């Protein structure tokens, strides 16, 4: 059954898909929000990541949670599981529960949005947790972020910076939440053994007011008035108490109005930036077609970044990907190319030795940290090449480019092309059987990839990719900008630490 889609009065988009063949008595809920690392305020890198953590309070209490149970505890009590991910351009929360508990899960999801009011002590706890996550992040993530930052200056990773989060206040966190967790910037997707009509009835009831400026603002205004009344009661003055309550209400209203104006400006600026980016991409695509013959003789622009520590000598090579919305066929051809390179061409080369200059290992990933169709543009393909003794950075990059040239000169053998496509299809079908993965994919498609035909249309799109398109994808990597990061053993980087990009 095709997903049912609707928009609540406040602008929240809702997608519901009944898939009992996958669900078997279960349901998954995903809330996708257009807020990620790129939206972090200056000097507060990691705010989006922190808000994600604060949506899972470690203890409850207060009007939003009178029983004192956190969201995760409520879900676990129903026999379910929940988690979340912060990306560069979005944050997604996903929950899986028995289908009979779905109304409760939806109510809990709405409640934590309406009752978002973190305390300073909880914020300090979660910033410490994020600091540990940053320290424990894998090397591959750092290499990916370094390549993206070199190709697209100003891009922010999703983790954040512990030093910048150390001084963040509850007011700053709430301001970010109010600006970005608004109804038009969110998609709620529900997938599983469900009745779409019944789900929409529950969603319409419990999500009424979620993400709308008035709802959260009224709750904060009421809280401010209550605090003012208690302060004045200590002074035992009815008149003073009434004045303080009025002042508290007025101040909260003024703050809310200012935040709404700022949020509107940011939304408008983001829209203008997207429009400009789309126009720029269209111009670049048209210019590329008009100058294809001349461009094939050009040398790619290479950016060398500062070396990064690694367990073994290597090199990370990053290339920009096509826009998955404006040029989806070219994007999918890059996904197939990554499979061709990573599964057959490079492993075979890494096992061979020529004049003592060779690769010891080679992996190629397409998309955000290896997840394709998990992010809007900009995005990249990243090759990780292990260098044997005697193979310097330039030689390793030269080997990589020679492999790309071999594919670009094509045509790619039909059998090799078919194996690459089939491996992507197997991976995608395995993911589509997962309810939370399917719910997340629906939300991302609606929020980040408008015009997408949905998860079930992807297999046909992949099968339409041709060997000639894969050869064209290899040429695009050869001709386009590239970033190169040397990976050196830890002891070498400790002798001469470097930061930033060079070249």
């Amino acid at each position: 059954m095709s997903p049912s889609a609707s928009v609540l009065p406040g602008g929240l988009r809702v997608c519901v898909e009944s898939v009992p063949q996958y669900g078997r008595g279960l349901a998954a809920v995903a809330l996708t929000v257009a807020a990620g690392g790129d939206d972090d305020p200056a000097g507060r890198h990691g705010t989006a990541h922190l808000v994600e953590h604060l949506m899972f309070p470690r203890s409850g209490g207060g009007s939003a949670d009178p029983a004192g149970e956190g969201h995760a505890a409520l879900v676990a009590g129903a026999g379910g599981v929940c988690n979340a991910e912060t990306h560069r351009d979005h944050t997604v929360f996903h929950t899986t529960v028995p289908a009979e508990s779905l109304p409760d899960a939806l109510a809990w999801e709405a409640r934590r949005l309406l009752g978002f009011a973190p305390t300073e002590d909880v914020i300090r706890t979660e910033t410490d947790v994020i600091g540990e996550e940053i320290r424990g992040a894998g090397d591959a993530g750092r290499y990916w972020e370094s390549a993206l930052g070199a190709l697209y200056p100003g891009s922010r990773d999703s983790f954040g910076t512990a030093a910048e989060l150390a001084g963040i206040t509850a007011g700053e966190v709430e301001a970010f939440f109010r600006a970005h967790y608004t109804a038009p910037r969110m998609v709620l997707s529900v997938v599983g053994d469900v009745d779409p009509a019944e789900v929409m009835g529950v969603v319409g009831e419990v999500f009424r007011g979620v993400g709308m400026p008035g709802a959260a603002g009224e709750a904060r205004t009421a809280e401010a008035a209550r605090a003012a009344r208690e302060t004045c009661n200590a002074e035992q003055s009815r008149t003073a108490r009434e004045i303080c309550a009025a002042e508290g209400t007025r101040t909260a209203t003024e703050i809310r109005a200012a935040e709404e104006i700022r949020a509107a400006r940011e939304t408008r600026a983001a829209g203008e930036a997207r429009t400009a980016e789309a126009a720029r991409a269209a111009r670049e695509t048209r210019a590329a077609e008009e100058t294809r013959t001349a461009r094939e003789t050009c040398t790619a622009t290479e950016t060398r970044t500062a070396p990064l520590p690694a367990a073994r000598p290597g090199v990370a090579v990053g290339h920009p990907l096509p826009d998955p919305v404006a040029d989806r066929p070219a994007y999918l051809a890059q996904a197939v190319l990554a499979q061709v390179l990573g599964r057959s061409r490079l492993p075979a080369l890494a096992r061979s030795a020529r004049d003592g200059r060779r690769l010891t290992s080679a992996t190629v990933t397409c998309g955000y940290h290896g997840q394709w169709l998990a992010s809007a543009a900009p995005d990249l393909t990243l090759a990780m090449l292990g260098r044997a003794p005697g193979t310097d950075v330039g030689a390793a990059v030269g080997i990589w480019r020679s492999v790309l040239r071999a594919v670009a000169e094509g045509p790619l053998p039909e059998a090799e092309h078919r194996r690459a496509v089939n491996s992507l299809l197997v991976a995608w079908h395995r993911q589509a059987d997962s309810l939370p993965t399917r719910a997340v994919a629906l939300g991302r498609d609606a929020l980040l990839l408008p015009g997408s035909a949905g998860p079930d249309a992807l297999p046909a799109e992949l099968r339409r990719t041709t060997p000639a398109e894969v050869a064209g994808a290899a040429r695009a990597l050869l001709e386009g900008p590239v970033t190169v990061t040397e990976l050196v053993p830890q002891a070498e980087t400790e002798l001469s630490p470097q930061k930033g990009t060079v070249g």
Side-chain angles (χ1 to χ4, degrees):
M1 180 182 293
S2 299
S4 301
S6 61
V7 182
L8 297 187
L12 176 68
R13 284 168 282 177
V14 184
C15 300
V16 184
E17 184 180 30
S18 176
V19 285
Q21 69 272 29
Y22 302 132
R24 304 180 188 90
L26 299 174
V29 178
L31 180 73
T32 311
V33 186
D38 281 352
D39 300 293
D40 289 341
R44 288 289 184 254
H45 184 202
T47 303
H49 189 188
L50 176 58
V51 169
E52 176 221 305
H53 276 240
L54 295 173
M55 288 282 280
F56 296 88
R58 294 176 185 268
S59 62
S63 59
D65 190 4
E69 296 181 273
H71 180 84
L74 293 170
V75 172
V81 293
C82 58
N83 211 330
E85 304 170 17
T86 301
H87 288 231
R88 175 187 58 76
D89 54 5
H90 72 284
T91 302
V92 59
F93 305 86
H94 50 88
T95 300
T96 305
V97 294
E100 63 186 19
S101 299
L102 178 60
D104 289 333
L106 290 169
W108 299 332
E109 193 72 57
R111 187 186 68 174
R112 64 173 171 170
L113 287 168
L114 287 168
F116 185 85
T119 60
E120 294 286 352
D121 60 333
V122 173
I123 289 174
R124 296 283 76 79
T125 297
E126 294 307 322
T127 54
D128 290 343
V129 172
I130 290 174
E132 290 299 320
E133 290 183 356
I134 294 171
R135 284 186 286 274
D139 290 341
R142 294 202 304 274
Y143 307 151
W144 196 96
E145 300 291 356
S146 173
L148 186 74
L151 290 169
Y152 302 98
S155 295
R156 312 296 296 274
D157 67 71
S158 58
F159 278 102
T161 305
E164 293 188 11
L165 287 178
I168 197 168
T169 66
E172 290 175 300
V173 171
E174 286 200 57
F176 183 92
F177 180 87
R178 289 195 300 272
H180 296 284
Y181 281 60
T182 61
R185 295 173 63 92
M186 298 192 293
V187 175
L188 181 74
S189 46
V190 181
V191 173
D193 194 359
V194 300
D195 181 309
E198 292 180 2
V199 172
M200 287 305 306
V202 174
V203 170
E205 179 64 28
V206 300
F207 277 81
R208 182 186 305 149
V210 165
M212 298 176 67
E218 289 167 3
R220 282 187 290 273
T221 298
E223 180 65 19
R226 182 192 62 77
R229 286 196 301 271
E230 290 179 354
T231 299
C232 295
N233 184 54
E235 298 171 2
Q236 297 185 356
S237 169
R238 172 180 292 274
T239 301
R241 190 163 63 246
E242 292 173 349
I243 293 173
C244 288
E247 287 295 323
T249 300
R250 188 184 68 195
T251 301
T253 302
E254 291 172 349
I255 293 174
R256 187 178 72 252
E259 288 297 332
E260 290 171 3
I261 292 172
R262 187 173 66 84
R265 288 173 178 167
E266 290 181 353
T267 300
R268 184 171 60 252
E272 292 171 352
R274 284 193 296 271
T275 299
E277 180 64 20
R280 183 192 62 78
R283 289 194 300 271
E284 290 181 351
T285 300
R286 185 168 59 251
E289 291 299 326
E290 292 171 351
T291 61
R292 175 175 294 277
T293 301
R295 195 185 63 224
E296 288 177 351
T297 64
C298 295
T299 301
T301 301
E302 180 180 302
T303 300
R304 290 287 184 104
T305 71
L308 289 175
R312 298 177 181 84
V315 60
V317 186
H319 300 268
L321 282 171
D323 189 319
V325 176
D327 201 357
R328 192 175 178 92
Y331 182 98
L332 294 180
Q334 290 289 350
V336 177
L337 174 64
Q339 288 292 306
V340 169
L341 297 172
R343 291 177 65 89
S344 59
R345 297 296 176 103
L346 284 167
L349 188 62
R351 290 191 295 268
S352 66
R354 295 181 180 178
D355 302 325
R357 301 191 310 169
R358 59 190 178 87
L359 305 180
T360 58
S361 62
T363 60
V364 185
T365 56
C366 174
Y368 182 83
H369 290 264
Q371 302 177 62
W372 50 297
L373 292 180
S375 175
D379 207 345
L380 57 84
T381 281
L382 184 69
M384 302 286 297
L385 311 174
R387 296 183 289 120
T391 306
D392 61 19
V393 171
V397 175
I399 293 171
W400 165 250
R401 293 183 66 81
S402 70
V403 175
L404 287 176
R405 279 194 296 272
V407 177
E409 292 168 358
L412 194 68
E414 181 61 37
E416 188 177 19
H417 176 262
R418 185 169 59 252
R419 283 196 301 271
V421 170
N422 286 343
S423 67
L424 292 176
L425 290 172
V426 168
W428 186 256
H429 282 299
R430 187 165 58 242
Q431 293 174 358
D433 286 348
S434 163
L435 288 185
T437 300
R438 195 174 181 90
V440 168
L442 281 178
R444 283 176 176 160
D445 282 355
L447 191 68
L448 305 174
L449 310 173
S452 170
D456 290 334
L458 187 60
E461 291 181 293
L462 282 171
R463 290 190 182 97
R464 285 196 293 270
T465 302
T466 66
E469 288 175 324
V470 176
R475 285 195 298 274
L477 297 192
L478 285 167
E479 298 160 3
V482 60
T483 178
V484 175
T485 302
E486 181 182 6
L487 309 179
V488 295
Q490 185 69 41
E492 295 180 33
T493 57
E494 289 175 346
L495 292 176
S496 56
Q498 300 183 59
K499 294 183 180 180
T501 60
V502 295

